[in-house]
Amino acid sequence: MIINRRDFLKASASAAAVAGLYGCASGSKASGHVVVVGGGYGGATAAKYLRMWSQGNVQVTLVERNAEFISCPISNLVIGGTKSMADITISYENLKHKWGVRVIQDEVTGIDAHARKVKLEKGGELSYDRLVLSPGIDFMWDQVPALKSAEAQAKILHAWKAGPQTVALRKQLEDMKNGGVYAITIPKAPYRCPPGPYERACLVANYFKTEKPKSKVLILDANEDVQSKKGLFMKAWADLYKDIIEYRPNSELKDVDVAGKAAVLEFEQVKADVLNVIPPHRAGNIAASTGLKLINNRWVDVNWLSMESTNTPGVHVLGDAIFPAPTMPKSGHMANQHGKLAAAAILNLLAGQAPNPTPVVMNTCYSFVDGKNAIHVASVHQYDAATQTVQPVKGAGGVSAARNELEGKAALGWAQNIWADMLA
Amino acid sequence: MMKLFHLAAAICLAGAAASATAADPNLGRNLAATCANCHGTNGKAIPGAGMDALAGMEKEKLLQKLKDFKSGAKPATIMHQISKGYTDEQLDLIAAYYAAQK
């Protein structure tokens, strides 16, 4: 058969129309409306990248309960007294005006995944073609019964969601007498930000060392060992805070004596002047109430090619709320990467194409051990078709050789750049 | 119509074969986006924040730098660990994407 060029073009056009029916529709453009719930590291990134990568062809509505973004990463420096709330607070103005994201300050009270509608607390509902849920975490107060009331929660702080609690914990530390004890309790893994509690212990100790040198920091860890950057943290504690920080593994919190400011462990009660309880947590409540499949009744099960819920089509879930892939931490950096993976997949799906079959995500996490020196952990995760998840690349990633000031500068540079990557 | 269907299938297959290393047309863009947390959206890092801006960097120069991080020839605090997580083909796509950014 001989086909001349004109015939081939004609045939190609028809063939392309046929091919469209069979899922080979390259070149078609994504359009539609995506609703994003939660404007943190995952959701804000997804919202911006959906607008940017679709050249504005996909409409995006972001529903966020807070008026401004407040970062959890770097918030330990506010608690330690070397940064202010203004340093970690960023507006949504650029998402609105530069990227054309419709930002609604409201709370999502319900999701009808079948009708593809989201219900809002202040009234009204939003229809979507695809939904992105980036709800973060909610605490399992049943595991710390004495902290169920709002009154108790205002006294014994978690400060594990940056905001008013961050300010309040700093105030408690400032009000504490020289010679007092600050105790922090860490839940069993997995929890948000594996190195975060150890970094906080360092930065509180750093504050005590200069301002209240007779004071102590007590780490009550439910886990059997330090969960991240172990050697580097233990070296910092030994070198910098020998008489200040005490680390107690296998110390699972059972409850709290609110009036006595005591952590109730299995065999003893540990009294503190400032008690900082990080309760066990799970995917944000909206995930569970929507009927998304959870693993261990806590974390959302997702398809790693698209971040889509494995039992609820059209709903993509990001960040700390998901059941993590092997060795993947719950971090802001990782949530940002989830946001990009989901944005790319959603644009393909809206254009009638399959998601990228070979996604890659990576993590970088810096922790300060004092006002200037930081340490990192990094990892790269590539999709593995055999296990249908992203697997850490062997031989890649790792931790700092030693704490250093260069990485302290890099940590602040990381923050400036990732905040811009999400919100500017 | 059957002929058309066969032709459609052939075009699909040809497309798939041609893109064996870059199955998704936006693979370079997607891979480069994994660097943007530190190096800025599309490689436009915040000036003065201490991160290299990758946008518009000559492809061969950036690729060589990444390969030197990967081999250990170029010392680093973190990039030697991150570059090892990507295949040489992926690093090539990343370098090409950033070189094309203005």
Side-chain angles (χ1 to χ4, degrees):
Chain A
M1 186 170 73
I2 298 166
I3 303 179
N4 67 29
R5 185 172 173 273
R6 186 192 290 170
D7 285 341
F8 180 76
L9 287 177
K10 252 161 64 183
S12 294
S14 309
V18 175
L21 299 173
Y22 293 88
C24 177
S26 63
S28 54
K29 270 194 169 173
S31 63
H33 181 219
V34 178
V35 172
V36 180
V37 179
Y41 278 87
T45 303
K48 170 176 159 178
Y49 273 74
L50 281 165
R51 293 289 296 163
M52 184 173 78
W53 281 345
S54 75
Q55 276 108 41
N57 285 313
V58 168
Q59 303 306 307
V60 177
T61 303
L62 172 67
V63 184
E64 162 58 44
R65 62 165 75 100
N66 296 315
E68 294 174 304
F69 167 79
I70 303 175
S71 177
C72 274
I74 310 296
S75 71
N76 278 336
L77 292 173
V78 178
I79 290 163
T82 58
K83 290 274 177 196
S84 69
M85 287 303 284
D87 293 325
I88 61 167
T89 303
I90 302 165
S91 89
Y92 289 109
E93 285 305 304
N94 277 327
L95 272 193
K96 285 186 210 167
H97 298 120
K98 185 172 165 192
W99 295 106
V101 175
R102 181 183 173 209
V103 180
I104 298 177
Q105 192 184 344
D106 207 337
E107 181 87 23
V108 171
T109 54
I111 294 163
D112 183 341
H114 191 69
R116 303 209 169 200
K117 280 180 180 165
V118 165
K119 202 171 252 177
L120 301 174
E121 189 176 59
K122 290 177 191 163
E125 52 183 31
L126 300 167
S127 294
Y128 63 82
D129 295 299
R130 295 256 155 202
L131 179 67
V132 175
L133 273 189
S134 194
I137 53 156
D138 273 308
F139 297 112
M140 300 162 75
W141 296 113
D142 285 356
Q143 309 278 310
V144 196
L147 291 186
K148 277 187 187 169
S149 75
E151 194 191 2
Q153 289 171 25
K155 286 181 184 154
I156 307 295
L157 305 170
H158 54 78
W160 217 236
K161 294 180 182 185
Q165 287 250 336
T166 311
V167 177
L169 181 57
R170 175 65 194 165
K171 178 82 168 50
Q172 287 189 355
L173 290 167
E174 285 174 350
D175 292 346
M176 193 190 86
K177 66 176 189 277
N178 185 8
V181 173
Y182 162 80
I184 180 169
T185 74
I186 306 172
K188 278 200 170 138
Y191 58 86
R192 162 180 277 184
C193 189
Y198 312 110
E199 177 192 59
R200 183 175 292 180
C202 287
L203 294 172
V204 171
N206 183 57
Y207 164 62
F208 288 168
K209 198 173 173 179
T210 50
E211 304 292 327
K212 297 174 181 179
K214 288 188 232 162
S215 309
K216 304 280 181 212
V217 171
L218 185 56
I219 305 170
L220 300 171
D221 195 339
N223 300 286
E224 62 187 13
D225 212 341
V226 177
Q227 294 298 297
S228 180
K229 309 174 195 173
K230 180 190 169 190
L232 292 160
F233 275 122
M234 295 196 82
K235 185 157 171 40
W237 299 340
D239 293 351
L240 307 172
Y241 309 116
K242 190 169 175 296
D243 299 317
I244 301 174
I245 292 182
E246 183 189 337
Y247 178 70
R248 291 194 203 168
N250 300 310
S251 300
E252 188 174 15
L253 186 80
K254 298 292 181 188
D255 205 349
V256 166
D257 171 1
V258 176
K261 285 191 214 159
V264 179
L265 310 181
E266 196 172 7
F267 301 112
E268 62 173 326
Q269 293 208 3
V270 180
K271 220 180 136 31
D273 297 281
V274 174
L275 180 58
N276 180 191
V277 170
I278 304 169
H281 35 278
R282 63 200 297 243
N285 292 335
I286 191 71
S289 64
T290 303
L292 303 182
K293 184 190 171 193
L294 302 182
I295 292 181
N296 298 329
N297 202 29
R298 288 173 74 179
W299 312 109
V300 181
D301 190 30
V302 296
N303 174 340
W304 281 100
L305 292 176
S306 61
M307 307 303 296
E308 199 167 2
S309 157
T310 55
N311 78 335
T312 310
V315 180
H316 303 253
V317 189
L318 316 177
D320 294 346
I322 64 160
F323 184 77
T327 77
M328 179 181 282
K330 295 190 178 295
S331 71
H333 191 109
M334 196 46 93
N336 166 292
Q337 300 263 318
H338 295 165
K340 292 166 187 171
L341 196 169
I346 286 168
L347 294 179
N348 281 18
L349 291 164
L350 288 175
Q353 296 159 3
N356 170 17
T358 54
V360 179
V361 290
M362 60 83 59
N363 186 62
T364 302
C365 165
Y366 291 99
S367 303
F368 281 89
V369 296
D370 60 25
K372 283 187 175 162
N373 290 276
I375 55 182
H376 81 256
V377 60
S379 55
V380 182
H381 308 250
Q382 298 249 5
Y383 188 76
D384 173 54
T387 52
Q388 299 190 331
T389 185
V390 287
Q391 295 282 0
V393 178
K394 288 193 183 76
V399 298
S400 307
R403 66 175 180 271
N404 63 87
E405 286 195 25
L406 198 60
E407 293 200 71
K409 291 195 177 83
L412 297 175
W414 168 88
Q416 294 303 320
N417 278 289
I418 195 169
W419 293 339
D421 193 36
M422 300 158 56
L423 294 162
Chain B
M1 187 60 200
M2 271 320 282
K3 270 184 187 166
L4 275 182
F5 180 74
H6 286 301
L7 186 52
I11 289 169
C12 274
L13 285 173
S19 60
T21 51
D24 190 292
N26 293 307
L27 190 57
R29 178 200 74 181
N30 294 353
L31 287 165
T34 68
C35 314
N37 303 44
C38 295
H39 293 281
T41 304
N42 291 324
K44 296 182 177 74
I46 302 275
M51 300 291 178
D52 285 350
L54 307 178
M57 196 184 275
E58 198 184 318
K59 184 192 165 187
E60 289 311 315
K61 199 175 148 194
L62 177 53
L63 188 58
Q64 193 57 49
K65 211 169 170 181
L66 288 166
K67 285 183 171 171
D68 288 347
F69 280 135
K70 195 174 174 179
S71 72
K74 189 173 168 61
T77 56
I78 193 167
M79 276 308 298
H80 59 306
Q81 297 166 344
I82 294 170
S83 54
K84 285 189 185 75
Y86 296 82
T87 65
D88 288 349
E89 291 75 22
Q90 289 172 334
L91 293 180
D92 194 275
L93 284 167
I94 289 169
Y97 182 85
Y98 282 123
Q101 301 306 306
K102 295 294 166 241

